[in-house]
Amino acid sequence: MFIHAEVILLVIAVAFFLPKVLKLSTELSMFVAALAGAAAHSVMLRVTGSPHNPVSILPIRHIVEGAFTYFDVCLIFLTATFFMALLRESGGVAFIVRKIVSTFHKRRTICLLLLTFVLLLPGALTGSGATTVLTVGALVGAVLSAMGVDETKRAAIIFLGAAMSAAAPPINLWAMMAAAGANMPYVGFGKPLLVLSVAGALFSMFWLAGRGEGQVDLDKALANLPEVQEGQSWFRVTFPFALLLALVLAGRIWPFSMPVLGLPLLFMVASFAVVLLSPKRLHVWSVACATVHNLTTLVGIMVVVGILIQIMALSGARGLISLAVVTLPLGVLFATLFIILPLSEGLVQYAVAPLIGVPLIMLFNMRGLDPIIALSAMAVIWPLGDCLPPTAVVGRATVMELGYTGRYFQDFVKACLVPMAFIAMLGTLFLIFSTRLSFLGG
């Protein structure tokens, strides 16, 4: 049994790295690895004469089932990103940023504080840091430029804000995927995720931009921001968010009277409100097509992660990883997780949540730690790896969106190190003292 699982794991690892060497995308490399693992599992069963011999080399049923494992999650960030894209197209995002700059350009601290929350919002609603970069990255970057923040620090701020926005509630994909794998309800994560992500985002912003002096150059900032459509107002911008919040709260206040609508439908209702209230005519079909195109990579990763996890569970490779994780001493985990989690995220992205997140949660639960606080801490550390190779999805999106001209590792990643260390340290402390912080998960 152990030899079978070890061979499958080796085949999957080799089949993943070979396509990466040939410059294939991460999702294609993971798909090749899943198919190779499935084929190796079937061949080994045939060779050993197992009574459970498969009919074909590839277990098609498991591949299809795995592809739909995170179907609901894919719907959530497709519809949520569509909502944010419509809001941006209507001029709502530019309106908010221009109002912040116009009102608080003489008060640097308040301006930075509000810009931090502007960065947190898109990823919190969609679960994707890349959405934050594409939606508000350039706008916030323009304001930071008018504040005198240099190019490298601007890029670092946008990346770290995007990472913390992806970790912020209500939608944290790492926590959702790990909780689903551990048969935990995704309930009680809001407060710990909010505390960790907001603290990380604020530290990043004020560490990198708060030590400067002087006001915002209002004329320069407004010149670099898109013009706001005539007729745009706070009511038009905030009503869709208020409607979304009201529908979410209604389901919790009156759980037996309010029908279960689901987050995808709620985001579509809010999107409809944006279209109705927009001061200009929106090209909804074009926005929808652009949204799907921009999220193709992310959705593809979620699909192949489901396939890979299904094949690994079928062949025993996932159980082997779980066994290796749960037999590690807690001291070793506490001393190394802040390094292991970002590196593994940079390697296989969201696949790390079900692969090592699930056994870690079970281990922490058996050792008496609070599983909700522990998973929240890990789910905030994981996004830090989105600037690391070989994937570096959010990091690459940041430098492309801002037109960054500096060196990636020597300048950009180096500027991120101190805030990343603070966030990792804070997450580790939450993990160690999770039982004392269990009141946050209530």
Side-chain angles (χ1 to χ4, degrees):
M1 178 180 66
F2 283 99
I3 294 175
H4 181 95
E6 288 168 356
V7 171
I8 299 300
L9 195 58
L10 179 62
V11 169
I12 289 174
V14 172
F16 175 76
F17 281 108
L18 284 180
K20 291 299 294 182
V21 171
L22 298 174
K23 306 298 183 182
L24 264 68
S25 63
T26 301
E27 56 272 19
L28 285 178
S29 299
M30 293 173 67
F31 185 58
V32 170
L35 294 182
H41 171 68
S42 300
V43 169
M44 290 182 68
L45 287 181
R46 289 178 183 274
V47 170
T48 57
S50 169
H52 302 290
N53 277 343
V55 176
S56 61
I57 293 296
L58 292 178
I60 302 299
R61 179 175 68 86
H62 289 281
I63 293 174
V64 174
E65 285 183 3
F68 283 90
T69 301
Y70 303 111
F71 179 71
D72 55 338
V73 177
C74 292
L75 286 179
I76 288 173
F77 54 68
L78 277 169
T79 53
T81 305
F82 177 60
F83 166 63
M84 290 302 304
L86 285 174
L87 190 67
R88 179 181 181 177
E89 188 70 15
S90 69
V93 175
F95 174 82
I96 293 172
V97 175
R98 290 180 74 95
K99 285 294 184 182
I100 290 173
V101 174
S102 300
T103 306
F104 299 106
H105 64 278
K106 294 183 179 180
R107 307 180 69 176
R108 185 185 182 91
T109 300
I110 296 179
C111 194
L112 290 175
L113 179 66
L114 294 176
L115 289 176
T116 302
F117 287 102
V118 169
L119 280 173
L120 285 173
L121 184 60
L125 291 177
T126 64
S128 169
T131 300
T132 296
V133 174
L134 297 175
T135 305
V136 300
L139 301 179
V140 174
V143 178
L144 293 174
S145 176
M147 287 183 169
V149 180
D150 67 63
E151 182 186 30
T152 299
K153 289 183 178 179
R154 290 201 305 270
I157 288 170
I158 300 304
F159 165 73
L160 291 163
M164 290 300 95
S165 73
I171 298 174
N172 182 302
L173 295 179
W174 297 272
M176 293 172 73
M177 295 171 72
N183 292 322
M184 288 173 58
Y186 185 66
V187 176
F189 290 89
K191 291 179 183 177
L193 286 175
L194 184 66
V195 171
L196 286 165
S197 58
V198 170
L202 288 175
F203 179 87
S204 301
M205 177 66 81
F206 284 95
W207 175 265
L208 293 167
R211 291 175 291 178
E213 296 181 357
Q215 308 172 11
V216 180
D217 186 336
L218 183 60
D219 294 334
K220 180 181 177 181
L222 294 180
N224 291 330
L225 292 174
E227 293 292 333
V228 175
Q229 186 74 20
E230 185 178 354
Q232 187 65 274
S233 65
W234 280 113
F235 174 77
R236 294 176 185 269
V237 173
T238 57
F239 179 79
F241 290 104
L243 177 62
L244 179 66
L245 180 62
L247 291 173
V248 171
L249 292 178
R252 299 191 176 188
I253 297 173
W254 302 289
F256 301 106
S257 303
M258 184 73 180
V260 179
L261 301 178
L263 282 175
L265 181 57
L266 295 184
F267 280 119
M268 291 306 294
V269 171
S271 300
F272 183 66
V274 173
V275 174
L276 287 180
L277 295 174
S278 174
K280 67 175 183 179
R281 183 173 177 271
L282 297 178
H283 301 284
V284 178
W285 180 252
S286 298
V287 174
C289 291
T291 299
V292 173
H293 176 74
N294 291 334
L295 291 179
T296 298
T297 299
L298 193 55
V299 173
I301 288 176
M302 299 300 293
V303 171
V304 297
V305 163
I307 297 172
L308 180 62
I309 298 302
Q310 183 87 358
I311 297 302
M312 293 182 72
L314 174 68
S315 62
R318 184 180 179 184
L320 186 65
I321 293 176
S322 299
L323 182 63
V325 170
V326 299
T327 53
L328 289 173
L330 273 182
V332 174
L333 286 174
F334 290 153
T336 58
L337 271 184
F338 71 97
I339 297 175
I340 294 173
L341 295 181
L343 289 178
S344 59
E345 170 68 15
L347 181 65
V348 292
Q349 293 192 293
Y350 294 103
V352 298
L355 273 179
I356 65 174
V358 172
L360 281 174
I361 287 305
M362 293 182 175
L363 171 64
F364 293 146
N365 190 41
M366 288 188 296
R367 296 297 184 90
L369 300 180
D370 188 290
I372 293 177
I373 305 299
L375 180 53
S376 298
M378 292 191 296
V380 173
I381 298 175
W382 266 316
L384 299 178
D386 282 331
C387 68
L388 301 177
T391 55
V393 173
V394 181
R396 287 185 298 174
T398 300
V399 298
M400 290 173 62
E401 180 71 10
L402 298 183
Y404 180 66
T405 58
R407 297 171 297 178
Y408 188 86
F409 284 103
Q410 295 91 332
D411 299 326
F412 168 62
V413 175
K414 183 179 178 181
C416 297
L417 289 180
V418 172
M420 288 171 67
F422 171 82
I423 295 166
M425 179 190 68
L426 186 62
T428 303
L429 291 175
F430 263 62
L431 191 62
I432 296 171
F433 299 104
S434 60
T435 51
R436 299 184 183 182
L437 298 169
S438 59
F439 64 92
L440 290 174

